Amino acid sequence: MRIRRAAEDDFAGLWPIFQAVVAPGDTYVFSPEATQADAFDYWFGPGVVSFVAEIDGRIAGMYKLIPNQRDLGAHVANASFMVSPDVRGLGVGEALGRHCLEEAGKRGFRAMQFNFVVSTNAGAVALWKKLGFKVVGVLPEAFRHRALGYVNAYVMHRFLDAA
């Protein structure tokens, strides 16, 4: 597996992953009918730095890294991740997570915060806890899960010097 900075030309490989991840309506706030333009802006909009994981030359997952807030809150990073369903369980998410934490540190961020981790996304919650994140807040019934109805979302945080 190789992780590298994403280029706009990578979007053709990212789009099917985006569609597969948002279609079930169980982990991301995007509508399953989100457009290509919405997805492109999310991954390549102003101020967004994105990375992809490749396996055998094929994009297997991606993450984006941004400041969580502007100005006086810009020392805290925020990131979003998507992994192709056909490679889940192979360590792609963990590799992307570790790479992201390292990259955030290199860019001078002091901490990372995830603002909206769907509580029923057990794989993501477990991974982030494994990588040192703690649930610091619960947003009651903040996510409208397509199968389960309204479920909680977590705010998760960790300092980057607490490896």
Side-chain angles (χ1 to χ4, degrees):
M1 179 184 336
R2 180 176 88 121
I3 299 175
R4 62 169 175 80
R5 178 88 182 257
E8 290 185 6
D9 290 351
D10 291 318
F11 185 71
L14 287 116
W15 172 240
I17 296 171
F18 181 93
Q19 289 178 297
V21 169
V22 304
D26 60 358
T27 60
Y28 259 81
V29 296
F30 283 98
S31 164
E33 291 79 35
T35 67
Q36 281 187 321
D38 291 334
F40 185 87
D41 288 345
Y42 187 72
W43 294 103
F44 294 104
V48 176
V49 179
S50 294
F51 292 83
V52 295
E54 292 179 319
I55 297 175
D56 298 326
R58 193 177 118 251
I59 295 175
M62 61 267 204
Y63 77 85
K64 72 177 222 177
L65 179 63
I66 59 173
N68 192 51
Q69 298 293 331
R70 57 180 288 152
D71 302 332
L72 301 180
H75 59 284
V76 178
N78 177 267
S80 298
F81 300 79
M82 289 187 178
V83 174
S84 178
D86 62 337
V87 297
R88 286 202 186 125
L90 300 180
V92 175
E94 183 172 345
L96 286 169
R98 290 184 185 284
H99 187 276
C100 181
L101 291 168
E102 183 178 322
E103 191 66 31
K106 287 180 188 174
R107 292 171 180 269
F109 290 106
R110 296 191 62 228
M112 184 167 293
Q113 178 174 311
F114 300 145
N115 299 321
F116 204 94
V117 180
V118 176
S119 63
T120 56
N121 187 351
V125 173
L127 174 59
W128 303 136
K129 286 181 176 180
K130 178 180 180 180
L131 294 182
F133 286 84
K134 291 182 174 43
V135 174
V136 296
V138 178
L139 307 171
E141 298 184 3
F143 182 71
R144 193 175 65 234
H145 193 289
R146 280 181 75 177
L148 302 176
Y150 294 101
V151 300
N152 297 342
Y154 296 145
V155 177
M156 300 186 78
H157 177 276
R158 70 160 277 178
F159 287 104
L160 295 178
D161 58 353

